[in-house]
Amino acid sequence: MSDARDPRSPIGAEDEGVVAASAAVMGAEPVLLSTGARSQWLDVWDQFKTHKGALIGAAIFLAIVAVVALGPLVWDPELGIKSNIRARNEGMSLAHPFGTDQLGRDIFARMMAGGRVSLAVGLTAMFLSVVIGTLIGVLAGYFRALDGALMRFTDLFLALPLLPLLLVMVLLFREPLTAVFGVETGIFLLIVSAIGITSWMQTARIVRGEVLALKEREFVLAARSIGTPSRRVITRHVLPNVLSPIMVSATLGIATAIITESALSFLGLGFPPDFPTWGRLLNDGVPYLEQYPERVFWPGIAISLVVLSINYVGDGLRDALDPRIRGR
Amino acid sequence: MLTFTFRRLIFAIPTLLFIALVIFLLLELAPGDPMANVPLTVPPEVKEQMRQALGLGEPAPIRFWKWIVQFFWIEPLNIFDHLFGTGFAEGKLRIISWQNRAPVFIVIAERIPQTLWVVGTAYVVAILIAIPVGIYSAYRQYSIFDQAGTFVTMIGFSVPPFFSGVLVIVIFAVQLRWFPSIYDTTHVVDDWDAFVFQLRQMFLPVMVLALQITSQLSRFMRASMLDNLGQDYVRTARAKGLRERSVVMIHVLRNSMIPVVTVIALGIPQVFGGAIITEQVFKVNGIGQLLITAIQANDLPMVQTLTFIFAVLIVLFNLIADVLYGILDPRIRYE
Amino acid sequence: MNTKSALLCAAASFVLVPVANAQDQEGERGRDGEVSIIYWQAPSTMNPFLSGGTKDIEAASLVLEPLARFDETGEIQPWLVEEIPTLENGGISEDLKSITWKIKPGIQWSDGTPFTSADVKFTYEYCTDPEGGCAQASKFEPVESVDTPDDQTVVVNFKEPTPNPYTAFVGGESPIIQKAQFENCTGAATSTCTEQNFNPIGTGPYVVDEFRTNDAITFSANPNYREPNKPAFAKVNFKGGGDAEAAGRAVLQTGEYDYAWNLQLAPEVIAQMEAAGQGTPVVGFGTLVERIELNHTNPDPALGPDERSVVRPHPFLQDPAVYKALSMAIDRPLLVEIGYGQAGRVTCNYVPAPDAFNSTALECSEQDIEGAKALLEEAGYVDSDGDGVREKDGVELKMLFQTSTNAVRQDFQALIKEWWEEIGFEVELRNVSGSVFFGGDAGSPDTFQKFYADVEMYANNFDGIDPQAYLGQLLCENIPGPDTQWQGENVPRFCNEEYDTLWNELSETADPAERQRLSKELNDMFVSTGGQIPLVHRGRLSAHANDLGGIKLNVWDSELWNIADWYRISE
């Protein structure tokens, strides 16, 4: 299994026939946008609220994001950079809530710095993959002429062995990009785009399926019959209606991206050693596992908790956005 | 159906050639040097000679063409020779790994058993666990079993193997000493004790991998069951007085298995691809570990061949999954 | 941990084990069953001429043997020959241009055929074939021809007078391969000989049963080994791959393996593993020095590709006050403690070993931040514009400090950067992945040879026990540059006429004592005129199970050099 990937939405089996079949089922109830976009979102929220796991997950995720983003305001980030030889390998204390590492750097500060990178990678890579996926999905679904070519292109990407390619890509473009943008930005861009480019295919397929079905619906036909230009139809009528599958795959995309980044760091191909990310911190902590188990636990738990909470949120969103389940 | 399969097969050829080219170009751009791991005590002139001996002096298009010929013609000939004891491939240069100057296929053949044993077992174990769990979770949706199952599968998704793997090694291998911490690839199973040892050394990696795969499959099984349980035909079946057992286990299960079977087929290339991280953590020197070491050593022929084999498997099993879907689900018509 | 205690530690581990039981060392061949060895870097071939890697050379050393080896103290020992040829016994000619080896009678290959001088000559031909890409070609570079007057005699003729003729056929890097087996494998045919490369026939204590590249090797005792009672272990299970931590754990903690090679682990990790009581770490010191090279040319990116790191001088690094201050600001004992523990010791020398060549003239073990500041102050480097960085004549003390990506090196970089910034430098850090940094790609701007930085850190060493060639790397003619595709071993671009003259004198001197004196003088000249800043003399730390006897950790040759003498200590 490619451990770093999460082939959770295995729609790979679908060919044209399949997508059409399932899409017909999915579109059973029309989502009437014009009458109440707001009330629709209220409905979604009501449904989401009833999913306890999702609610707790969202709370935990937001809490972690808050600590990581706002933490530096109250906790000096310099502590995680500056070494302090006299205070190395310390246990948990008030001065260092998570202890210190082998150079006396504060692990709490490093965890926050690492979290910022890991989360930023997750969010940006997800954004990139969703944008590419949606673009290709909408174009393929809406314009018949483009469909064949774009879907073959998607199939091509699906056929690429992704984790090995990701490894090769990282190895490859690491030096040129670092040379242009500096170590931090360079590798950040590299990892984000590598993950983004290799993970958009599922979104594209799902979106295409939805668009294919939507295109034949009365309100879209109506809009087109009064001469609305395609661009308008897409932005006003199609996109809002495919938002729900996009949102679900976006949440799951964050989780996948975070795991992929830490896997790369774990294999020694992600960010360099002096640059903390959760995967990197975990990797660095492994040799000390028996002496200072907390060095592995903190990043390990942070990654797992974030991914777990995002998965629950995704689950809740899927239920809430699916009109068939709503109100059950 | 047949024409569909045929059309897809034909289309697979340019796809694969294109993939081979993409992989080759990516590797070609790589700034690494296969001589980087040679100690500094070896002088630069000698390293240059070693590079020439690897054929690095030739221009890229020629090397690509050579690789294509070797992969699609000479290597199959070698396999043929090996099977039938003929000598068609004699004297023809095979794809040679830069690390050890041996044909890459010999090395790959050496690694496949380990990977199949460990990853394959994990896959089978996962399927055997995931299907019943998925069925029961869906049938008793929102029950305690379902909630607990959901939680466990969520954990399976969320805890990366490089965390769980390291954890179980320290707990079960180092502290409790129940299982070995390093996988012995030379172990030969020839009697009962040897078999028990093999089971023990496989236990930890299989456990970690199976947890992951189970999570994915059981979620999928559950969703697919839920989809079908709400269908009209289920209501009809119940209404005509069928036993609940046969409604669920025959009617619903059969229909729910259609997408799950294709998902299982789609996962098979990854069994061959090996679990890169899990193999690394448990020192199972299989295909995944081979790829990582080849990448680290800048052994381009090996990386190229391995990634391309993965691509072939993915394309092949995608096709198999599609065909399976068509056979299992009569509603699907491939024109 | 200081040098003394490190030495004591190493010494103690040598002494503790073999006292256990004297009769364990005697007995018939194969009496002790199986021994398991783990190398966290897996051997990729059994032919050491195809790969320069230490792991491959050491795995091969169980099977293939040279004419003479270095022992654990760095002394040369006869192995397949009767005695070491010297000037005194007439084995080395008066003009230093030839050396005559007398092969021990009765030595057989593991297939039962006799080992003769023809095999030795063939080995020379095999490795010097220009198409073969032999990794050890430099060992044979000074050799003009190899003569075989009879089956037991090998005469090696050198192109020039060679005071140190113990390079070809000496040590684990240039063992003898069997002519009969490799005859059809020379030159371009090298790659078609997988069977031969993976299963070489040798004279050593073991033969290969199964070789799995980059994975595992199984050996069994050589039935035709020349000493009837050896080796004590009938089988060797040689596992490769993984990481140093898992290897250390398997020997020191869980006892799954008997011997683990080169455990590059943090000192506290080793200490904690050792506490489990299953095994013992052993340390040996070779010639490996972790150092900071100071660029003698100007690496300014504004200069064109033909001038960057080519034109002299560096804006400030050749000022004695600057390089002395840089060295004084470093707390070497702390670096040793953090990075290497018992596997490292402070050194101020380019040539740290063997002891006879280790200069004691320099002192650097104490950090002196104030002294460094005063030195800079005195030389006129002051922070006049208040930005925290000293300058003189408008030149700011700003440096780019690069190294390869590796956890210990990044820790060192962080510490050294802090010390240097404390004395008024501005330091920018950079790390490049090892495969690029040490790769010889002339097109890459990031190789250590190109040195597009002010200072860079890495480790280097030399083979064997004579530093002449290693000192010779620092001659002006070896400076890398665009005209030589950046191939050249004088990475700091050090160039000193006096040094070159002295080295020429060394190359013509045969008297050992005089050679030692000259080498030390060269070393001192290089370091004290700002050639480089040596940091840590790095040892090799391996570990063995407590019941494995006969281990003599050897850093001058293969670590497994005396595996024929290993045995199991009975309770």
Side-chain angles (χ1 to χ4, degrees):
Chain A
M1 307 297 101
S2 61
D3 313 55
R5 300 253 118 201
D6 174 16
R8 186 110 31 85
S9 10
I11 327 282
E14 293 178 349
D15 204 80
E16 284 125 291
V18 189
V19 174
S22 56
V25 179
M26 278 190 191
E29 272 146 81
V31 183
L32 290 180
L33 198 73
S34 49
T35 53
R38 187 169 155 64
S39 72
Q40 183 205 353
W41 291 112
L42 272 181
D43 274 0
V44 168
W45 171 239
D46 282 341
Q47 176 67 29
F48 187 77
K49 268 196 304 194
T50 61
H51 195 303
K52 277 207 200 67
L55 217 54
I56 297 172
I60 291 178
F61 180 64
L62 289 178
I64 293 178
V65 171
V67 169
V68 160
L70 304 177
L73 297 179
V74 283
W75 195 259
D76 184 7
E78 271 293 299
L79 287 172
I81 303 166
K82 208 131 185 77
S83 58
N84 178 2
I85 296 306
R86 268 168 291 279
R88 63 200 167 100
N89 294 330
E90 278 187 9
M92 289 184 260
S93 65
L94 264 185
H96 303 290
F98 285 7
T100 59
D101 70 359
Q102 73 278 10
L103 290 183
R105 293 174 293 200
D106 181 61
I107 293 181
F108 185 57
R110 286 176 78 71
M111 282 290 296
M112 288 193 301
R116 273 196 299 283
V117 180
S118 290
L119 291 177
V121 167
L123 290 168
T124 329
M126 172 275 286
F127 183 73
L128 189 65
S129 114
V130 164
V131 167
I132 302 178
T134 310
L135 186 73
I136 292 190
V138 168
L139 289 181
Y142 196 81
F143 300 105
R144 243 200 124 74
L146 293 176
D147 191 21
L150 284 178
M151 279 301 110
R152 291 290 83 82
F153 183 64
T154 313
D155 284 347
L156 196 86
F157 261 82
L158 278 171
L160 288 171
L162 294 180
L163 191 63
L165 268 197
L166 209 60
L167 292 176
V168 171
M169 267 166 80
V170 169
L171 201 73
L172 231 143
F173 297 111
R174 168 184 218 116
E175 301 306 329
L177 277 175
T178 6
V180 179
F181 298 101
V183 180
E184 287 152 38
T185 339
I187 295 189
F188 181 81
L189 285 179
L190 170 64
I191 294 198
V192 161
S193 37
I195 297 176
I197 289 171
T198 51
S199 61
W200 54 267
M201 292 81 74
Q202 305 295 2
T203 317
R205 285 191 152 218
I206 299 169
V207 170
R208 170 179 170 272
E210 297 271 314
V211 173
L212 272 182
L214 270 176
K215 208 170 64 171
E216 305 305 325
R217 299 282 292 283
E218 291 80 357
F219 66 96
V220 177
L221 288 177
R224 284 165 67 177
S225 65
I226 57 170
T228 321
S230 292
R231 191 169 52 84
R232 229 359 153 30
V233 178
I234 289 175
T235 50
R236 289 292 297 277
H237 301 289
V238 175
L239 272 184
N241 279 292
V242 293
L243 211 56
S244 53
I246 294 178
M247 277 175 69
V248 175
S249 61
T251 38
L252 300 179
I254 302 178
T256 316
I258 289 178
I259 288 202
T260 311
E261 182 274 315
S262 11
L264 285 176
S265 291
F266 181 80
L267 292 172
L269 293 165
F271 289 91
D274 51 344
F275 196 77
T277 74
W278 284 340
R280 188 78 234 177
L281 289 174
L282 196 153
N283 187 18
D284 291 348
V286 168
Y288 299 93
L289 182 58
E290 284 174 78
Q291 274 170 302
Y292 312 110
E294 67 274 12
R295 278 196 212 158
V296 173
F297 284 141
W298 292 128
I301 287 172
I303 298 172
S304 308
L305 211 57
V306 164
V307 176
L308 188 65
S309 57
I310 292 176
N311 275 332
Y312 264 107
V313 172
D315 215 36
L317 266 185
R318 188 167 19 211
D319 285 0
L321 291 170
D322 188 338
R324 286 176 300 162
I325 303 179
R326 203 182 298 154
R328 210 193 266 172
Chain B
M1 196 70 203
L2 215 69
T3 49
F4 167 79
T5 316
F6 192 67
R7 214 180 60 206
R8 286 287 301 261
L9 268 177
I10 296 288
F11 182 72
I13 293 170
T15 310
L16 284 174
L17 281 177
F18 185 74
I19 289 175
L21 182 69
V22 168
I23 298 172
F24 182 82
L25 288 178
L26 268 174
L27 293 174
E28 203 47 40
L29 290 168
D33 174 9
M35 292 297 122
N37 294 330
V38 174
L40 295 181
T41 47
V42 174
E45 318 78 82
V46 175
K47 285 191 191 167
E48 187 51 39
Q49 270 191 7
M50 290 169 76
R51 261 179 231 122
Q52 297 301 327
L54 295 177
L56 262 167
E58 289 175 19
I62 294 186
R63 271 182 291 142
F64 182 63
W65 174 244
K66 273 193 173 169
W67 181 84
I68 290 279
V69 171
Q70 284 165 344
F71 189 92
F72 288 101
W73 179 239
I74 299 179
E75 291 297 341
L77 271 187
N78 268 291
I79 295 170
F80 188 83
D81 284 359
H82 187 75
L83 291 178
F84 302 102
T86 47
F88 293 120
E90 246 166 63
K92 295 201 170 70
L93 196 60
R94 306 179 62 177
I95 306 174
I96 300 290
S97 152
W98 286 352
Q99 284 173 86
N100 45 38
R101 306 258 201 114
V104 295
F105 275 86
I106 291 188
V107 184
I108 293 173
E110 245 172 43
R111 296 305 184 90
I112 287 221
Q114 274 86 272
T115 295
L116 287 189
W117 261 104
V118 174
V119 190
T121 312
Y123 206 60
V124 173
V125 168
I127 293 172
L128 291 181
I129 298 177
I131 289 179
V133 168
I135 296 173
Y136 195 74
S137 285
Y139 188 62
R140 295 253 178 269
Q141 199 190 4
Y142 301 130
S143 67
I144 295 194
F145 181 89
D146 182 33
Q147 300 279 8
T150 309
F151 187 71
V152 172
T153 51
M154 284 293 192
I155 298 254
F157 281 144
S158 313
V159 181
F162 47 85
F163 183 41
S164 52
V166 167
L167 228 52
V168 296
I169 287 188
V170 167
I171 295 172
F172 294 108
V174 178
Q175 298 297 337
L176 297 173
R177 305 270 171 92
W178 288 354
F179 304 104
S181 66
I182 291 175
Y183 188 93
D184 178 6
T185 43
T186 54
H187 182 71
V188 183
V189 181
D190 48 9
D191 57 16
W192 177 248
D193 284 345
F195 180 68
V196 171
F197 178 80
Q198 176 68 16
L199 283 188
R200 281 181 57 220
Q201 72 169 351
M202 276 169 54
F203 189 85
L204 292 181
V206 167
M207 182 171 101
V208 166
L209 270 177
L211 175 68
Q212 261 198 309
I213 308 167
T214 308
S215 303
Q216 292 160 5
L217 282 181
S218 72
R219 289 297 282 171
F220 204 77
M221 186 72 217
R222 175 178 177 272
S224 173
M225 281 290 284
L226 278 179
D227 261 1
N228 277 289
L229 279 170
Q231 300 275 330
D232 291 341
Y233 74 84
V234 179
R235 204 181 306 144
T236 315
R238 283 185 177 140
K240 74 177 185 188
L242 275 183
R243 275 180 306 142
E244 188 62 12
R245 194 183 160 75
S246 51
V247 173
V248 176
M249 297 309 285
I250 297 174
H251 291 76
V252 179
L253 183 60
R254 259 197 202 163
N255 283 299
S256 319
M257 281 304 283
I258 296 169
V260 176
V261 166
T262 58
V263 167
I264 291 175
L266 282 177
I268 292 179
Q270 290 169 345
V271 175
F272 287 91
I276 293 180
I277 289 171
T278 313
E279 285 189 359
Q280 189 84 349
V281 170
F282 291 95
K283 279 81 206 170
V284 182
N285 292 349
I287 297 283
Q289 190 263 0
L290 182 66
L291 180 72
I292 285 281
T293 45
I295 288 179
Q296 280 164 352
N298 282 297
D299 183 357
L300 301 194
M302 180 69 87
V303 178
Q304 163 100 25
T305 311
L306 274 179
T307 29
F308 187 67
I309 291 178
F310 295 161
V312 172
L313 287 172
I314 293 174
V315 169
L316 188 70
F317 277 91
N318 259 313
L319 177 61
I320 291 178
D322 281 355
V323 172
L324 261 184
Y325 211 126
I327 294 172
L328 291 178
D329 191 344
R331 286 170 296 180
I332 306 290
R333 285 277 167 268
Y334 297 118
E335 79 283 13
Chain C
M1 177 170 308
N2 59 28
T3 319
K4 209 183 205 170
S5 62
L7 275 177
L8 277 177
C9 251
S13 49
F14 275 123
V15 181
L16 270 176
V17 183
V19 287
N21 216 338
Q23 76 261 18
D24 286 346
Q25 302 181 38
E26 305 297 327
E28 60 184 23
R29 174 178 295 159
R31 63 189 176 275
D32 282 338
E34 189 180 83
V35 63
S36 307
I37 299 173
I38 182 161
Y39 269 50
W40 55 270
Q41 288 179 359
S44 57
T45 176
M46 284 293 284
N47 183 344
F49 294 119
L50 292 189
S51 148
T54 316
K55 56 194 170 73
D56 308 308
I57 291 169
E58 303 214 336
S61 74
L62 267 66
V63 175
L64 300 172
E65 295 179 309
L67 296 179
R69 275 200 191 288
F70 300 103
D71 68 8
E72 76 276 15
T73 59
E75 290 291 317
I76 188 165
Q77 300 291 344
W79 210 254
L80 298 175
V81 291
E82 289 178 319
E83 61 173 355
I84 297 298
T86 56
L87 271 173
E88 288 76 53
N89 66 22
I92 299 178
S93 69
E94 283 301 322
D95 61 357
L96 303 177
K97 285 183 81 167
S98 78
I99 181 169
T100 307
W101 301 92
K102 286 274 181 200
I103 297 170
K104 271 186 208 170
I107 291 183
Q108 287 182 343
W109 292 102
S110 58
D111 62 0
T113 56
F115 172 87
T116 67
S117 57
D119 295 307
V120 181
K121 185 177 163 102
F122 172 75
T123 302
Y124 163 74
E125 286 161 357
Y126 178 86
C127 190
T128 46
D129 190 306
E131 277 183 73
C134 175
Q136 305 301 341
S138 63
K139 289 265 185 311
F140 298 99
E141 202 266 330
V143 177
E144 190 178 58
S145 65
V146 175
D147 294 336
T148 51
D150 63 61
D151 274 0
Q152 303 298 311
T153 313
V154 179
V155 181
V156 180
N157 298 308
F158 296 100
K159 294 169 188 157
E160 279 160 30
T162 309
N164 173 38
Y166 308 124
T167 52
F169 312 122
V170 178
E173 286 104 1
S174 59
I176 316 298
I177 52 175
Q178 194 191 31
K179 182 177 182 183
Q181 190 187 18
F182 280 91
E183 214 158 12
N184 297 322
C185 296
T186 53
T190 309
S191 297
T192 58
C193 288
T194 312
E195 171 61 25
Q196 287 87 336
N197 293 335
F198 284 1
N199 301 286
I201 293 170
T203 55
Y206 289 96
V207 292
V208 185
D209 286 342
E210 189 189 4
F211 179 85
R212 296 182 184 208
T213 178
N214 287 4
D215 178 12
I217 318 170
T218 46
F219 297 95
S220 58
N222 175 0
N224 292 314
Y225 189 56
R226 55 189 176 278
E227 292 182 69
N229 296 331
K230 292 176 180 178
F233 292 103
K235 294 242 171 222
V236 177
N237 168 20
F238 193 113
K239 166 88 178 178
D243 47 66
E245 175 221 339
R249 199 162 50 207
V251 170
L252 294 170
Q253 272 185 292
T254 64
E256 289 166 74
Y257 283 80
D258 294 309
Y259 190 87
W261 163 84
N262 196 10
L263 301 176
Q264 291 178 3
L265 290 170
E268 58 255 56
V269 174
I270 295 273
Q272 187 258 341
M273 286 179 173
E274 196 183 348
Q278 294 277 343
T280 319
V282 285
V283 181
F285 285 88
T287 56
L288 190 65
V289 175
E290 187 79 29
R291 77 284 295 280
I292 294 177
E293 303 281 15
L294 304 170
N295 199 338
H296 284 63
T297 54
N298 193 345
D300 189 346
L303 296 170
D306 290 335
E307 291 190 327
R308 188 177 182 193
S309 282
V310 175
V311 292
R312 293 167 177 278
H314 188 277
F316 54 82
L317 273 176
Q318 269 67 63
D319 187 330
V322 173
Y323 61 73
K324 283 192 177 126
L326 286 173
S327 176
M328 282 160 80
I330 295 172
D331 186 350
R332 290 178 176 81
L334 183 70
L335 292 180
V336 169
E337 189 186 330
I338 288 179
Y340 299 101
Q342 46 179 314
R345 51 195 191 200
V346 170
T347 186
C348 317
N349 292 328
Y350 175 67
V351 179
D355 271 346
F357 290 93
N358 183 18
S359 164
T360 49
L362 305 167
E363 172 52 45
C364 61
S365 58
E366 246 168 78
Q367 187 186 29
D368 184 3
I369 296 270
E370 290 314 310
K373 282 183 185 165
L375 205 60
L376 289 170
E377 205 78 35
E378 221 171 284
Y381 290 94
V382 282
D383 180 16
S384 48
D385 52 6
D387 60 353
V389 183
R390 290 173 194 271
E391 61 268 323
K392 180 185 178 181
D393 309 331
V395 179
E396 296 242 1
L397 295 183
K398 283 189 179 171
M399 296 194 295
L400 176 63
F401 180 8
Q402 72 177 14
T403 188
S404 72
T405 308
N406 157 320
V408 176
R409 293 214 168 108
Q410 263 72 75
D411 286 355
F412 275 26
Q413 265 191 320
L415 287 170
I416 292 170
K417 173 186 160 120
E418 276 172 36
W419 292 325
W420 283 352
E421 295 202 330
E422 207 176 326
I423 63 169
F425 284 80
E426 185 182 310
V427 183
E428 186 192 332
L429 299 184
R430 209 165 96 77
N431 58 66
V432 183
S433 82
S435 66
V436 175
F437 192 64
F438 296 116
D441 182 3
S444 165
D446 299 310
T447 63
F448 78 109
Q449 283 130 324
K450 242 180 189 171
F451 207 165
Y452 280 181
D454 299 284
V455 292
E456 65 184 4
M457 177 166 64
Y458 61 93
N460 199 356
N461 66 324
F462 59 94
D463 283 339
I465 50 166
D466 187 277
Q468 180 186 320
Y470 181 57
L471 286 162
Q473 293 178 358
L474 302 167
L475 300 177
C476 300
E477 66 191 41
N478 289 333
I479 292 176
D483 43 338
T484 57
Q485 277 74 49
W486 304 92
Q487 312 275 323
E489 290 153 320
N490 188 349
V491 175
R493 289 116 166 93
F494 176 79
C495 187
N496 183 334
E497 249 173 66
E498 212 184 319
Y499 183 96
D500 286 17
T501 327
L502 200 60
W503 185 84
N504 285 331
E505 196 184 326
L506 172 70
S507 67
E508 286 154 12
T509 309
D511 174 45
E514 187 61 11
R515 287 180 69 78
Q516 287 160 15
R517 191 190 65 77
L518 284 170
S519 302
K520 286 183 193 174
E521 202 175 316
L522 284 164
N523 170 73
D524 296 349
M525 188 189 291
F526 174 59
V527 175
S528 60
T529 57
Q532 68 169 210
I533 303 177
L535 297 174
V536 179
H537 181 193
R538 284 172 52 187
R540 174 148 346 141
L541 188 146
S542 296
H544 64 83
N546 284 335
D547 62 354
L548 186 63
I551 308 283
K552 285 182 188 164
L553 182 62
N554 186 343
V555 290
W556 307 102
D557 203 312
S558 162
E559 235 176 71
L560 307 172
W561 69 299
N562 70 336
I563 193 165
D565 298 331
W566 290 11
Y567 60 94
R568 186 74 67 195
I569 299 168
S570 53
E571 292 303 318

